[in-house]
Amino acid sequence: MAKNNGKSLKKATKKEPTNWAKAVIPILLVIIMLGSIFAYVLARPNNASNTSSNEKPFNNIMDGLKLLPANLSSARYADLKADPVLSQYMLYSNVYLAQTIPPSRIFGADPQRDMLAIYPPGYFGDFKEQFVSLTSFGSSRINSSYTAYDVNGQTVEMVNNKYFYTLNLKPVISGRIENVAKVLESSDNESAYNEYSDLFEKLKWKQISTANATLETVGKSCSYTSTDRYYTALWPADSKNKSQDRPYSYVAIMHMNHTMTDDEAAYFASYGESMKKYGFNYYNVQVYGDYVIIEAEGSLDVCMDDALNRWSFIKYKLS
């Protein structure tokens, strides 16, 4: 009996053959899924790191001012890609302004956005080139065939002994090596933006938007000698109008270095009407305390003539 019982027990506890497919496939699927997630994380660009270290916002003059040290004399920002008519004017119609835009032949790429900042004599050193440029070349790779130097941890290419540019930064910083180094050392707390922020706030308070501006300038002196700071902007009045003679919106704000007299306020208040004879569709001037705000519309040639020659809002002297 015992022998038979043992055989019965052995038969009862015998294991069925293992179905390896059922056991292994789920594990493999989990491994593949985890591997895919891991590979995606590794392959995904670290945008936060790149943005913080090598790429800074550069969509308007306010962004540019935040990247530059304080005490600049004037600055000009141009969105050449967004405004082909303006680009044509600056690169070909006005030979002086064309000299203020970094040449494509040096970088092996075309500037898309450019900002020229001019500083007072002696600011960067005992030489005449007191300017620096910030330039965006979009996604284009720029020329890296020049002699390279390390400046504050950044690779800087030497075109000649008076002109250098950063290779891996966006926007690209260019100018004399002393000037480039000074910009690399500048901090947000001591940026040029702080000197002009009240002008931007004043326009915002007056609900005047310059969000579509393709040309912007700031500076500390213009042809009206009582001005200690100004900001100007212009842009196509109708974005759908692509013609060469399309009208442009034109805005300027000036801050006076003293409280304006009644005679000064009256002068500015009556100034606008007389400007129609120069080709403007309209030219409105309003006074708010120590601020004068101009809102106008005219062709690009008319607006640029006003900004360049009448008010001297746009500078192009590089020494």
Side-chain angles (χ1 to χ4, degrees), residues 57-131:
F58 188 56
N59 299 306
N60 48 53
I61 200 169
M62 288 186 282
D63 288 343
L65 290 171
K66 292 174 183 177
L67 303 178
L68 293 169
N71 298 317
L72 58 77
S73 298
S74 65
R76 181 268 304 143
Y77 172 91
D79 193 333
L80 303 170
K81 182 180 179 181
D83 193 343
V85 176
L86 173 68
S87 178
Q88 179 78 15
Y89 180 94
M90 295 189 67
L91 291 172
Y92 304 107
S93 300
N94 189 300
V95 294
Y96 298 105
L97 288 178
Q99 297 172 14
T100 70
I101 299 174
S104 299
R105 58 179 173 77
I106 288 178
F107 296 87
D110 294 329
Q112 295 188 3
R113 297 188 181 105
D114 181 69
M115 183 166 172
L116 173 71
I118 302 175
Y119 283 80
Y123 183 86
F124 292 113
D126 187 19
F127 43 81
K128 68 177 183 177
E129 298 86 7
Q130 301 297 317
F131 67 90

Side-chain angles (χ1 to χ4, degrees), residues 10 28 63 139 143 188 287 301:
K10 188 174 182 179
L28 287 175
D63 288 343
S139 58
N143 190 354
D188 293 341
V287 177
D301 285 341

Side-chain angles (χ1 to χ4, degrees), residues 236-264:
D238 180 2
S239 60
K240 296 179 181 179
N241 186 343
K242 306 297 183 182
S243 66
Q244 292 291 318
D245 59 350
R246 62 189 179 183
Y248 274 72
S249 296
Y250 173 48
V251 168
I253 179 170
M254 294 175 278
H255 180 264
M256 300 296 115
N257 58 18
H258 64 275
T259 300
M260 279 189 289
T261 65
D262 292 341
D263 288 342
E264 285 180 298

Side-chain angles (χ1 to χ4, degrees), residues 1 22 31 41 59 65 102 118 153 173 176 182 189 200 211 218 233 235 284 287 303 319:
M1 292 294 293
K22 290 183 178 180
I31 292 173
V41 171
N59 299 306
L65 290 171
I118 302 175
I173 306 168
R176 287 188 66 116
K182 182 85 171 181
N189 294 331
F200 304 126
V218 296
W235 62 95
N284 298 324
V287 177
C303 293
S319 60

Side-chain angles (χ1 to χ4, degrees), residues 296-317:
E297 183 181 285
S299 68
L300 180 61
D301 285 341
V302 167
C303 293
M304 291 296 282
D305 179 62
D306 192 70
L308 277 165
N309 301 318
R310 190 165 292 110
W311 292 104
S312 190
F313 289 145
I314 304 175
K315 310 293 195 305
Y316 43 74
K317 186 178 180 182

Side-chain angles (χ1 to χ4, degrees), residues 50-59 67 170-171:
N50 289 339
T51 299
S52 62
S53 60
N54 291 331
E55 185 172 359
K56 303 292 184 182
F58 188 56
N59 299 306
L67 303 178
K170 293 184 177 182

